[in-house]
Amino acid sequence: MTVILGQTFTGISIGAVLLLIALGLSLTFGQMNVINMAHGEFIMAGAYTTYVLQKSISSAGISLLVALPVAFLVSGALGALLEWLLIRRLYLRPLDTLLVTWGVSLMLQQLARDIFGAPNVQTRAPDVLTGNITLLGGDDPLTVANNRLFILGLAVTAVVALSLTLRLTPLGRRIRAVVQNRDLAEVSGISTSTVDRTAFFIGSGLAGVAGVALTLVGPIGPTMGTNVIIDAFLVIVVGGIGQLKGTVIVAFVLGVLQSVLEYSTTVSVAKVLVLVGIVAFLQWRPQGLYTLRTRSLV
Amino acid sequence: MNLLKGPSARAAAGFAGSAVVLFALAPLLLSDFRLGLLAKYLCIAMVAVGVCLAWGRGGLLTLGQGVFFGLGGYAMAMHLKIADAGPGNLPDFMQLYGTATELPWWWQPFANPLFALAATVLLPMAVAAVLGSFIFRRRVKGAYFAILSQALAAAFAIWLIGQQATTGGTNGLTDIQGFFGYDLDDPVNQRMVYFVIAAALLLLIALARQLIHSRYGELLVAVRDSEERVRFLGYDPANVKLVAYVVAAGMAGLAGALFVPAVGIISPALIGIVPSIEFVIGAAVGGRASLVGAVLGAVAVAWAKTALSEEFPAAWTYFQGLLFIVALAFLPGGLASLVGIVRRRRATAEQKAAVIPVGEAA
């Protein structure tokens, strides 16, 4: 029983990381229907921001709290810059954006390598986050790592904040309008280019926050973005483009699935099985779990 | 089918002739080391021929060509390893780990040279057919297809690394000595491998050209440009795409198979996400829709990578990133489209030149 619960919680914590990584991507993917391969490097930028801040701030706890907003701003600025320089010119050719932003990601990786060196670096976790909490007592206790709980909380906070922004603020209304019907939004007086850039800022900023979270569970290195980006894309594909609800559900389902499969097979077999499962799922719902209702023919 | 069918048939014949002459001259002009590198680039160009067909013509951005390249490469390497070990012996790396006492069951068919040779092309095609029919039937397309193909490359590489005892893990299958009874260390035999590769590349280009200039080729472009219209005309776009995807997979498989004797190694690092995307960049830089452009682009980018990354590894990465950005954002037709652009510019300039005197007269 404890084993099942333990694996489930591991799965949920994998899911929380996936969710944080995919959340921003879901917004930028839904916004302009372009695929930003450099999203992984925005995550990396968030992680390195944490690293730099910890060098100058001695208290690990304070530096982590400072890193969250700063990483949001740094990665968000990178995203807005990328949108302004390249993506807005390409949004009618989404497949080309994929490769163009891959080029950007290569350059950002190399930049990180030149600035911080090729070997991975590490940050210190605050003392509060290093221990475990025992959730179930008894002979066979279920313990949960504090840093995993923190990431779960961060993911939930990010989802709630994004969801409220999209639902309640004028900006959120404009973003949803552009996602649903760009042309109609434009003729209704919404400046779609401004909305695009703002959405990119927020989405990329969320990547930065995900980067801060990743420093708690692994090393920081130039290739860390590449390692996570595929998983994030799979979450979006299965969840449905631009669908917050789908992203949240799928992130946790894939996380738990991965964790359970890893427990019963091996990590590499689990990856293959998850992919097979995704292809099978797309037979049932080719547009993902949730889709925008449109009048398009597909 | 007539090989000289379609527009610019004379240009194609000229290209084929000069390619044959160049390929024949290369061993005289290049050192053995450089010739080995050229053989490697030509293998990458073979993948680019498939990319040109699937992506340039069919709009299928496949970021997982490394999977098919790897399937072909591993099929070939498994046979060569078994042959190197000799009858009854295990390949060296299996003896090293000591986990296997006999050849794993899925290795055994590859002891047969004919099976292994057929598998280098048919195995990737079969995988592409299964996967493609699942994906295209349900109209999964565009970005979704690209991401799935990329995830496939990632999963395949991770799986290979995970099965260390039977696949050689991260190292892959290395140190391949012989090629169907010929010693690969001998420069004469290396030259032979080069000629096989050059001939195979020309064959694939001819095959792709025939496909492109056939009714099927027109259908493929039509599906790329407006899938719905093709469907309304009574065709099934899924089948059209499937053929391009499967043919491209077979081409990548053959390329992988010939890569192994040319380079002597196949490993997960050669077929994962990054190499899979690199297979696309050459075609993109040269011109994704033009066969010659894609092939020349692939060779040029692979050559630039060797030339630059030996001296300045960091500079190469920046350069590669810039290549992606410039080629795709600002020159989507690749370098091949420059010819057309220049020609059009000149035409408009001549028109203007022709118009001005009239204006002066008036």
Side-chain angles (χ1 to χ4, degrees):
Chain A
M1 188 61 200
T2 322
V3 172
I4 298 174
L5 278 178
Q7 284 304 309
T8 312
F9 186 79
T10 312
I12 289 174
S13 71
I14 296 176
V17 175
L18 270 180
L19 178 58
L20 266 178
I21 295 166
L23 196 60
L25 197 62
S26 169
L27 185 66
T28 54
F29 198 178
Q31 178 69 21
M32 291 164 91
N33 210 6
V34 299
I35 308 169
N36 179 15
M37 288 296 261
H39 193 81
E41 277 58 47
F42 295 162
I43 294 174
M44 175 194 80
Y48 274 116
T49 305
T50 320
Y51 172 71
V52 170
L53 283 174
Q54 200 168 73
K55 291 232 146 176
S56 46
I57 302 174
S58 55
S59 159
I62 294 173
S63 82
L64 185 70
L65 288 181
V66 175
L68 286 171
V70 174
F72 183 87
L73 291 177
V74 168
S75 297
L78 279 174
L81 187 69
L82 178 71
E83 198 275 342
W84 177 68
L85 279 175
L86 290 171
I87 291 177
R88 71 189 165 114
R89 299 167 204 276
L90 286 169
Y91 83 92
L92 290 176
R93 292 191 280 143
L95 280 184
D96 285 359
T97 341
L98 195 158
L99 292 167
V100 167
T101 49
W102 171 262
V104 173
S105 96
L106 282 178
M107 296 172 87
L108 287 177
Q109 276 177 38
Q110 189 57 42
L111 196 66
R113 221 169 272 136
D114 287 346
I115 298 175
F116 300 101
N120 288 341
V121 294
Q122 208 103 37
T123 54
R124 277 174 300 113
D127 294 338
V128 196
L129 297 182
T130 49
N132 292 304
I133 288 183
T134 308
L135 285 186
L136 283 180
D139 303 332
D140 196 10
L142 173 69
T143 55
V144 170
N146 287 353
N147 57 357
R148 296 277 176 181
L149 274 182
F150 176 76
I151 292 176
L152 185 59
L154 196 61
V156 171
T157 314
V159 169
V160 170
L162 181 62
S163 171
L164 290 180
T165 310
L166 286 178
R167 267 165 205 277
L168 301 179
T169 65
L171 171 70
R173 270 200 298 280
R174 287 198 289 270
I175 289 179
R176 281 185 291 138
V178 175
V179 168
Q180 284 182 13
N181 194 328
R182 176 172 289 270
D183 295 335
L184 199 54
E186 180 78 50
V187 293
S188 311
I190 295 174
S191 164
T192 53
S193 56
T194 312
V195 173
D196 283 343
R197 200 152 312 136
T198 319
F200 250 81
F201 179 80
I202 298 175
S204 309
L206 286 171
V209 174
V212 179
L214 282 182
T215 62
L216 292 171
V217 288
I220 306 162
T223 56
M224 64 185 291
T226 319
N227 298 336
V228 296
I229 191 78
I230 305 271
D231 289 339
F233 275 130
L234 288 179
V235 170
I236 312 279
V237 165
V238 178
I241 291 183
Q243 299 294 307
L244 199 55
K245 213 191 314 178
T247 308
V248 173
I249 294 174
V250 169
F252 285 117
V253 169
L254 281 188
V256 172
L257 199 65
Q258 176 87 24
S259 149
V260 170
L261 285 174
E262 270 178 25
Y263 183 74
S264 36
T265 59
T266 62
V267 177
S268 59
V269 174
K271 284 260 178 210
V272 177
L273 287 179
V274 166
L275 185 69
V276 170
I278 287 172
V279 173
F281 174 83
L282 290 177
Q283 299 300 302
W284 175 52
R285 290 208 154 216
Q287 304 297 309
L289 192 58
Y290 291 97
T291 45
L292 267 181
R293 286 182 193 280
T294 67
R295 284 167 181 268
S296 88
L297 285 161
V298 179
Chain B
M1 293 222 271
N2 180 3
L3 258 181
L4 293 177
K5 199 174 103 183
S8 66
R10 200 176 293 169
F15 169 76
S18 41
V20 169
V21 171
L22 271 180
F23 283 152
L25 282 180
L28 302 174
L29 302 174
L30 297 174
S31 68
D32 288 337
F33 173 70
R34 292 281 158 201
L35 192 70
L37 285 180
L38 180 61
K40 187 174 146 186
Y41 304 157
L42 294 184
C43 289
I44 297 170
M46 275 192 236
V47 185
V49 173
V51 169
C52 172
L53 195 69
W55 179 42
R57 292 278 154 176
L60 303 168
L61 177 53
T62 155
L63 297 178
Q65 288 306 87
V67 174
F68 308 123
F69 186 84
L71 284 171
Y74 271 88
M76 177 65 94
M78 279 158 73
H79 172 70
L80 298 182
K81 284 307 272 186
I82 296 172
D84 276 352
N89 290 332
L90 284 178
D92 48 8
F93 73 94
M94 286 190 195
Q95 294 173 10
L96 192 69
Y97 296 124
T99 44
T101 49
E102 61 171 7
L103 221 48
W105 61 267
W106 55 274
W107 271 69
Q108 281 170 6
F110 291 93
N112 182 333
L114 286 180
F115 177 87
L117 277 182
T120 57
V121 179
L122 295 182
L123 195 63
M125 289 175 90
V127 171
V130 172
L131 193 81
S133 57
F134 273 111
I135 291 179
F136 301 135
R137 290 259 171 273
R138 293 299 293 162
R139 304 187 192 175
V140 172
K141 56 187 172 189
Y144 282 57
F145 171 73
I147 290 165
L148 278 180
S149 68
Q150 192 174 34
L152 183 71
F156 185 52
I158 291 172
W159 180 80
L160 281 173
I161 293 170
Q163 311 299 310
Q164 180 140 17
T166 50
T167 62
T170 322
N171 296 331
L173 302 177
T174 56
D175 199 22
I176 286 156
Q177 308 282 339
F179 184 60
F180 297 98
Y182 294 95
D183 179 12
L184 281 175
D185 276 343
D186 189 344
V188 178
N189 292 336
Q190 271 299 332
R191 233 165 281 165
M192 181 189 75
V193 168
Y194 158 79
F195 281 123
V196 171
I197 291 172
L201 176 63
L202 289 180
L203 195 76
L204 291 192
I205 295 175
L207 179 75
R209 190 173 177 281
Q210 281 307 98
L211 271 178
I212 285 171
H213 291 307
S214 67
R215 265 168 62 90
Y216 168 76
E218 308 205 338
L219 208 51
L220 185 63
V221 173
V223 168
R224 177 192 72 190
D225 291 341
S226 177
E227 192 171 331
E228 295 308 330
R229 285 187 203 172
V230 175
R231 184 171 288 123
F232 294 150
L233 287 171
Y235 295 97
D236 185 355
N239 287 336
V240 179
K241 291 191 203 173
L242 190 60
V243 170
Y245 187 50
V246 169
V247 170
M251 289 178 171
L254 183 63
L258 292 173
F259 183 87
V260 169
V263 181
I265 180 174
I266 186 86
S267 77
L270 292 163
I271 63 186
I273 303 174
V274 176
S276 291
I277 292 190
E278 282 178 351
F279 284 133
V280 169
I281 176 74
V285 169
R288 65 185 86 161
S290 145
L291 273 174
V292 178
V295 166
L296 291 182
V299 173
V301 171
W303 172 78
K305 180 177 180 175
T306 318
L308 271 175
S309 62
E310 278 168 3
E311 297 279 325
F312 322 97
W316 161 249
T317 315
Y318 286 124
F319 181 68
Q320 194 185 15
L322 263 183
L323 264 184
F324 269 93
I325 296 167
V326 172
L328 286 144
F330 302 108
L331 199 62
L335 292 176
S337 68
L338 273 183
V339 183
I341 292 172
V342 170
R343 209 175 278 164
R344 266 198 305 279
R345 282 262 166 85
R346 200 173 290 163
T348 32
E350 276 167 14
Q351 267 177 359
K352 275 184 192 157
V355 166
I356 289 167
V358 179
E360 280 173 352

